């Protein structure tokens, strides 16, 4: 509708421009008989019918004819320009709409994925805490202080886990996953101390210094769950290697399997894999007489 109004206005503008030009051409023609008029303009001294020309105006005894296709051609050129810019505008708006919609879909998808991970983490940690507490409460009746210390330690770990989960929840609505420079060997050592793995297993630690850029809590959760898996299922020996081969950064965790192992739900490993793959890292696991986890950063 707007374009039609514009074309109609432009047609009037062309006609007004012709009305201004014609007197000038009449003056030029009067002063110079050899002056050649534009192809679209014809001036006659009498009324007649000219092929391909239309009577446009009468100026005294002069009859002004305009080529029939002149105004149409002008309008066609203008219509082409309007159509061209309309298509560019429509295409640009379509791209912007697609990008905005795509980002919203991806954001929603990531939100649901992170929420799923959150629930799995919480259920996994709460289940572990309840199992440990039930066992320790049963053993504490023997007046042995070791179960009491384990119970206190379990409460401290749960409190820390809930703080981490609270952080995870706070960043869900905005998806503000700010990346940090993480020193993998230092993080691994801190988790070994936190879970007291060095007191329970013979650990061979061989790591060169490597850094990755990722949300700290995501990597912390993932590695925590992998080492928590060792705590439950390893026999006596654990080997940890990390380093860099050319541009490839890696972390390998290998442990033997206890003879008294009981199969769990595998939720911890699943959540760890989700957290790592969500951040663009690759993880593989292999079970033979040993259990091996290989992560490519």
């Amino acid at each position: 509708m707007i374009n039609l109004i514009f074309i109609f206005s432009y047609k009037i503008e062309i006609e007004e421009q012709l009305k201004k030009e014609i007197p000038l051409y009449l003056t030029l023609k009067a002063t110079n008989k050899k002056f050649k008029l534009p192809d679209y303009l014809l001036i006659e001294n009498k009324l007649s019918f000219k092929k391909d020309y239309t009577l446009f105006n009468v100026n005294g005894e002069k009859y002004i004819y305009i080529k029939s296709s002149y105004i149409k051609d002008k309008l066609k050129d203008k219509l082409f320009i309007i159509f061209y810019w309309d298509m560019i505008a429509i295409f640009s708006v379509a791209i912007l709409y697609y990008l905005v919609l795509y980002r919203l879909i991806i954001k929603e998808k990531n939100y649901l994925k992170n929420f799923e991970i959150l629930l799995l983490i919480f259920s996994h940690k709460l289940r572990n805490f309840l199992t440990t507490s039930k066992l320790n409460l049963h053993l504490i009746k023997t007046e042995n202080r070791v179960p009491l210390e384990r119970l206190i330690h379990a409460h401290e770990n749960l409190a820390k886990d809930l703080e981490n989960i609270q952080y995870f929840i706070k960043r869900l609505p905005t998806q503000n996953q700010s990346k940090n420079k993480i020193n993998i060997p230092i993080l691994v050592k801190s988790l070994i101390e936190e879970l007291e793995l060095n007191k329970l297993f013979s650990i061979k630690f061989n790591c060169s210094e490597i850094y990755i850029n990722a949300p700290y809590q995501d990597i912390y959760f993932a590695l925590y769950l992998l080492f928590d898996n060792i705590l439950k299922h390893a026999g006596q020996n654990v080997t940890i290697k990390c380093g860099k081969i050319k541009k490839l950064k890696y972390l390998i965790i290998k442990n033997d399997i206890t003879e008294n192992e009981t199969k769990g739900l595998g939720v911890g490993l699943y959540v760890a894999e989700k957290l790592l793959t969500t951040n663009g890292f690759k993880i593989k696991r292999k079970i033979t007489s040993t259990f091996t986890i290989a992560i490519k950063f």
Side-chain angles (χ1 to χ4, degrees), residues 242-268:
C242 63
K244 185 177 181 181
I245 302 175
K246 293 183 178 180
K247 293 184 179 181
L248 175 66
K249 298 175 184 178
Y250 67 89
L251 170 64
I252 298 173
I253 305 168
K254 183 179 180 180
N255 63 270
D256 54 3
I257 302 172
T258 179
E259 295 179 358
N260 299 322
E261 184 202 6
T262 55
K263 292 185 178 180
L265 297 175
V267 173

Side-chain angles (χ1 to χ4, degrees), residues 147-181:
L148 179 60
E149 290 176 355
R150 283 206 305 264
L151 187 59
I152 293 171
H153 184 67
H155 273 86
E156 290 173 350
N157 284 342
L158 184 62
K160 186 174 182 179
D161 291 339
L162 289 174
E163 285 180 9
N164 290 328
I165 289 171
Q166 187 178 19
Y167 162 84
F168 199 85
I169 292 171
K170 285 180 179 178
R171 77 174 179 82
L172 275 177
T174 58
Q175 288 295 303
N176 182 23
Q177 301 187 37
S178 58
K179 293 186 177 182
N180 311 101
K181 188 177 181 181

Side-chain angles (χ1 to χ4, degrees), residues 36-75:
K36 188 178 179 180
L37 294 170
D39 293 338
Y40 62 84
L41 183 62
L42 189 63
I43 300 173
E44 294 289 330
N45 294 322
K46 60 181 180 178
L47 181 62
S48 61
F49 295 98
K50 299 292 181 180
K51 187 180 179 181
D52 298 329
Y53 284 83
T54 304
L55 181 64
F56 178 73
N57 199 3
V58 178
N59 190 321
E61 296 179 353
K62 302 293 184 181
Y63 295 88
I64 315 300
Y65 295 89
I66 297 296
K67 199 170 186 177
S68 303
S69 60
Y70 176 73
I71 295 178
K72 291 180 181 178
D73 290 341
K74 284 277 188 180
L75 291 175

Side-chain angles (χ1 to χ4, degrees), residues 3 124 131 146 200 213 227 234 242 269:
N3 286 343
H124 176 77
T131 302
V146 174
L200 301 171
N213 288 313
F227 285 113
C242 63
L269 290 176

Side-chain angles (χ1 to χ4, degrees), residues 125 153 156-158 160-161 164 187-198 216 220 224 231:
K125 291 183 176 293
H153 184 67
E156 290 173 350
N157 284 342
L158 184 62
K160 186 174 182 179
D161 291 339
N164 290 328
L187 178 58
V188 169
K189 286 179 181 178
S190 67
L191 285 169
I192 290 172
E193 292 177 4
E194 182 180 338
L195 294 170
E196 298 183 342
L197 296 178
N198 50 346
Y216 179 83
Y220 169 83
Y224 180 96
L231 190 63

Side-chain angles (χ1 to χ4, degrees), residues 25-216:
Y25 285 125
L26 287 171
T27 303
L28 288 170
K29 189 68 175 174
T31 55
N32 184 1
K33 299 292 183 181
K34 293 182 179 181
F35 177 75
K36 188 178 179 180
L37 294 170
D39 293 338
Y40 62 84
L41 183 62
L42 189 63
I43 300 173
E44 294 289 330
N45 294 322
K46 60 181 180 178
L47 181 62
S48 61
F49 295 98
K50 299 292 181 180
K51 187 180 179 181
D52 298 329
Y53 284 83
T54 304
L55 181 64
F56 178 73
N57 199 3
V58 178
N59 190 321
E61 296 179 353
K62 302 293 184 181
Y63 295 88
I64 315 300
Y65 295 89
I66 297 296
K67 199 170 186 177
S68 303
S69 60
Y70 176 73
I71 295 178
K72 291 180 181 178
D73 290 341
K74 284 277 188 180
L75 291 175
K76 283 180 182 178
D77 292 341
K78 190 59 109 176
L79 276 171
F80 176 77
I81 294 171
I82 292 172
F83 177 76
Y84 175 78
W85 285 109
D86 278 354
M87 290 304 297
I88 290 176
I90 291 169
F91 185 69
S92 301
V93 170
I95 290 175
L96 288 173
Y97 180 77
Y98 169 77
L99 291 174
V100 170
L101 189 63
Y102 177 76
R103 288 186 66 182
L104 287 173
I105 291 171
I106 294 298
K107 185 177 179 180
E108 186 68 19
K109 185 178 179 182
N110 288 337
Y111 179 87
L112 292 173
K113 185 184 291 185
N114 286 334
F115 191 70
E116 177 190 3
I117 291 171
L118 172 65
L119 291 177
L120 289 170
I121 290 172
F122 182 74
S123 62
H124 176 77
K125 291 183 176 293
L126 189 60
R127 181 172 58 85
N128 289 346
F129 173 76
L130 292 174
T131 302
T132 303
S133 297
K134 184 178 180 181
L135 177 62
N136 288 334
L137 288 171
H138 178 73
L139 293 175
I140 205 170
K141 295 177 182 178
T142 63
E143 297 183 357
N144 186 344
R145 185 155 182 85
V146 174
L148 179 60
E149 290 176 355
R150 283 206 305 264
L151 187 59
I152 293 171
H153 184 67
H155 273 86
E156 290 173 350
N157 284 342
L158 184 62
K160 186 174 182 179
D161 291 339
L162 289 174
E163 285 180 9
N164 290 328
I165 289 171
Q166 187 178 19
Y167 162 84
F168 199 85
I169 292 171
K170 285 180 179 178
R171 77 174 179 82
L172 275 177
T174 58
Q175 288 295 303
N176 182 23
Q177 301 187 37
S178 58
K179 293 186 177 182
N180 311 101
K181 188 177 181 181
I182 304 171
N183 186 315
I184 293 298
I186 290 177
L187 178 58
V188 169
K189 286 179 181 178
S190 67
L191 285 169
I192 290 172
E193 292 177 4
E194 182 180 338
L195 294 170
E196 298 183 342
L197 296 178
N198 50 346
K199 294 181 181 179
L200 301 171
F201 306 102
S202 173
I203 298 177
K204 292 181 180 180
F205 185 84
N206 182 16
C207 277
S208 58
E209 197 169 75
I210 58 170
Y211 293 88
I212 64 168
N213 288 313
Y216 179 83

